[in-house]
Amino acid sequence: MDFVELLPVFMFGALAILLFSGYPVAFILGGVGLAFGIIGIFSGEFMFIQFRSLPSRIFGGIMESLILTAIPMFIFMGTMLEKSGIARDLLNCLQVLLRRVPGGLALAVTLMGTILAATTGIIGASVIMMSLLALPVMLKRNYDAELATGTIAASGTLGILIPPSIMLVIMADLLSRSVGNLFVAAVFPGLILSGLYFAYIVIRCTINPSLAPPLPKDIGPQTTMGVLGMVLRSFVPPVILIACVLGSILAGLATPTEAAGVGALGAILLGLFNLVLLPAMGVKEIHFDGDADSSLEGHAAKGGLGVELKHFWDTLKDVVERTALTNAMIFGIFIGATLFSFVFRSLGGDDLVIDAVEALGLGSWGLLFLIMGLVFVLGFFFDWIEITLIVLPVFAPAIALLDFGDHVAKIEVTYWFAILLAVNLQTSFLTPPFGFALFYLKAVAPKTIKIQQIYRGIIPFVMLQLVGLALVAIFPEIALWLPRQLFN
């Protein structure tokens, strides 16, 4: 091969090197694409006039994609649940309900991560929120620091897989597949991962109870009516929101985009309920540390209804601002990735990848293992969105040609592959040195928590994620059975 034919290889290598620079990913993707487009012009492999098609690809593709309109609404929903205190109250409730189970507080964190994952997929918000709420209390209850940090980090990453997931929305767009089918296919794999976490915590804490001392009996409501009131206030509302969002998708009543709109509205109503109506009615909070009365006996809201409404309005403005910033970052990366993939394909990158795969003679299983191994290794250094926008455009043509015989029907291969990739990408949040969930946790953890403890704490959970990946690979029905039943 001459220099011109190897331009896609150099382009991919330049991207891999520059991603370590710490410069914004959107600018790196776009900059590398632009630079190699210019190199392609001088080498005769690319024409300047081809850049004219980029605006139509961006504004006629990304900006007009109805699938991607779900992203800002899901971001809004997750941020609203965090800022309105819904998530905090949910964790308070779950730790009381699970107090008799070994590792009850760790299980409450896991269950909370599962519930939050089924309402939104904002990993950073989930990890930070649970770190702030649960980690100090777990340490105060003499929980093992490694178990506590590992549980929080792993549970917070479930939102990247369990629908509605922003990652699945992006994958569906890149692979030109139904996001509804991907959402349904991800339900059981996500729940299996959550179940693996549950089993690990219960077994380990049963063998060694000193890792997770039980919750004192004097914390939380002491009467049946108190417990019932706590469940009605803190557990039922998020479950209703899940039923509205995920249930409408599974039942075929709404598209994921429509369900995202319902979820955003539901989050606003829950925020009103938690920040305005309950304080106005004099309903007390369920305190995590047990320092205050957690019963439902009322007291007058301080400052009256006007103050509570102002608090809600300030919260809403903060949520909108954070949503806009997060959304701008994601779509900036989309624009850069569009430029990168367009130039990569124009320089013959697709043909180069397919020819390389055929030359290696790996076969479908060999290529699958190669991609999964590559993604796992990339997860040590890059975020999931970077890996997704790099790997899928490069390997999408080869993925469409995979054939696994009777193991997976050819029409289902892309959906199965997407779920395998999604499970694999969960490890990118937990694997050092650049596991973002670990950074989020360390940023808000008490100073007594060392990064070495966090690294040791996540090792069992990374292994459990790989077990989940193996299960979905060996038994594809885990991902494909439910879509078959619902969508044939």
Side-chain angles (χ1 to χ4, degrees):
M1 285 188 178
D2 57 21
F3 172 79
V4 173
E5 293 176 325
L6 289 175
L7 276 179
V9 177
F10 296 138
M11 186 177 181
F12 194 80
L15 174 66
I17 294 172
L18 290 174
L19 282 172
F20 287 98
S21 67
Y23 205 65
V25 176
F27 297 148
I28 291 175
L29 285 166
V32 171
L34 180 61
F36 275 83
I38 295 173
I39 294 174
I41 292 173
F42 285 105
S43 64
E45 289 294 304
F46 191 85
M47 292 186 295
F48 181 78
I49 198 172
Q50 288 179 265
F51 281 125
R52 291 184 58 185
S53 64
L54 282 172
S56 62
R57 286 174 174 266
I58 294 170
F59 294 100
I62 296 174
M63 300 305 179
E64 290 188 0
S65 174
L66 293 178
I67 293 176
L68 297 182
T69 55
I71 291 178
M73 290 184 283
F74 282 140
I75 294 173
F76 177 91
M77 181 168 58
T79 309
M80 191 67 189
L81 290 176
E82 175 197 358
K83 295 298 179 181
S84 64
I86 298 292
R88 175 201 62 209
D89 293 343
L90 175 62
L91 182 57
N92 295 346
C93 175
L94 292 175
Q95 71 151 328
V96 173
L97 295 178
L98 294 170
R99 70 171 70 194
R100 296 183 180 178
V101 184
L105 184 49
L107 293 178
V109 170
T110 303
L111 185 56
M112 179 184 173
T114 307
I115 294 174
L116 289 180
T119 54
T120 185
I122 312 300
I123 303 304
S126 297
V127 173
I128 290 174
M129 178 173 46
M130 289 194 291
S131 298
L132 290 172
L133 294 176
L135 185 55
V137 180
M138 295 174 88
L139 297 177
K140 182 180 179 181
R141 308 291 179 215
N142 295 318
Y143 265 63
D144 178 71
E146 295 177 10
L147 175 64
T149 54
T151 300
I152 290 172
S155 301
T157 65
L158 288 172
I160 207 64
L161 177 62
I162 296 178
S165 161
I166 293 174
M167 180 172 68
L168 295 179
V169 174
I170 295 173
M171 283 186 177
D173 184 66
L174 292 174
L175 295 171
S176 300
R177 291 297 187 270
S178 165
V179 67
N181 282 1
L182 279 183
F183 275 5
V184 174
V187 171
F188 286 158
L191 293 179
I192 283 176
L193 279 184
S194 179
L196 289 173
Y197 297 166
F198 260 75
Y200 166 74
I201 293 169
V202 171
I203 293 173
R204 190 174 180 196
C205 293
T206 300
I207 296 173
N208 188 0
S210 64
L211 294 175
L215 190 72
K217 295 182 179 180
D218 60 342
I219 291 182
Q222 302 300 310
T223 63
T224 302
M225 289 303 297
V227 173
L228 179 61
M230 176 188 65
V231 171
L232 290 175
R233 169 189 170 153
S234 304
F235 185 79
V236 173
V239 171
I240 292 176
L241 185 60
I242 293 172
C244 292
V245 176
L246 190 55
S248 62
I249 298 173
L250 298 181
L253 300 176
T255 66
T257 303
E258 293 166 343
V262 171
L265 177 60
I268 293 175
L269 295 178
L270 287 183
L272 275 169
F273 176 76
N274 213 49
L275 296 177
V276 178
L277 296 182
L278 288 181
M281 294 166 57
V283 177
K284 291 185 177 182
E285 297 180 2
I286 304 169
H287 288 264
F288 200 98
D289 56 9
D291 292 337
D293 180 15
S294 58
S295 70
L296 295 180
E297 296 177 1
H299 66 280
K302 296 181 180 179
L305 184 60
V307 173
E308 307 301 339
L309 285 171
K310 184 179 184 303
H311 182 208
F312 171 76
W313 179 249
D314 291 340
T315 301
L316 182 61
K317 288 192 293 184
D318 184 38
V319 169
V320 170
E321 180 180 355
R322 289 172 177 265
T323 300
L325 292 173
T326 305
N327 193 56
M329 179 270 293
I330 291 176
F331 276 81
I333 294 177
F334 282 161
I335 293 172
T338 300
L339 174 55
F340 177 88
S341 61
F342 171 69
V343 174
F344 183 82
R345 289 177 176 177
S346 298
L347 295 177
D350 288 359
D351 296 333
L352 188 64
V353 171
I354 292 175
D355 291 343
V357 169
E358 292 177 350
L360 289 173
L362 296 175
S364 295
W365 282 106
L367 178 59
L368 180 66
F369 292 145
L370 174 65
I371 296 175
M372 290 298 136
L374 175 64
V375 169
F376 180 73
V377 172
L378 288 175
F380 282 80
F381 308 102
F382 305 122
D383 193 6
W384 68 267
I385 192 168
E386 300 163 14
I387 300 173
T388 302
L389 293 174
I390 293 170
V391 170
L392 282 186
V394 172
F395 287 100
I399 293 168
L401 302 177
L402 297 181
D403 185 358
F404 295 91
D406 295 335
H407 191 69
V408 181
K410 192 159 186 177
I411 195 174
E412 296 176 321
V413 166
T414 303
Y415 290 106
W416 177 57
F417 172 82
I419 298 303
L420 288 173
L421 186 63
V423 175
N424 197 348
L425 282 171
Q426 278 204 285
T427 62
S428 69
F429 286 94
L430 300 180
T431 46
F434 297 118
F436 282 84
L438 312 182
F439 290 159
Y440 296 141
L441 196 157
K442 177 57 179 173
V444 297
K447 293 182 179 180
T448 55
I449 297 296
K450 306 299 181 184
I451 192 67
Q452 292 85 354
Q453 293 176 302
I454 298 176
Y455 284 169
R456 289 194 296 268
I458 56 90
I459 291 175
F461 292 94
V462 172
M463 300 302 295
L464 290 174
Q465 289 176 342
L466 294 178
V467 169
L469 177 64
L471 289 174
V472 178
I474 297 171
F475 306 104
E477 289 77 12
I478 294 174
L480 301 176
W481 181 83
L482 191 56
R484 289 172 186 163
Q485 304 305 310
L486 295 179
F487 303 126
N488 194 27

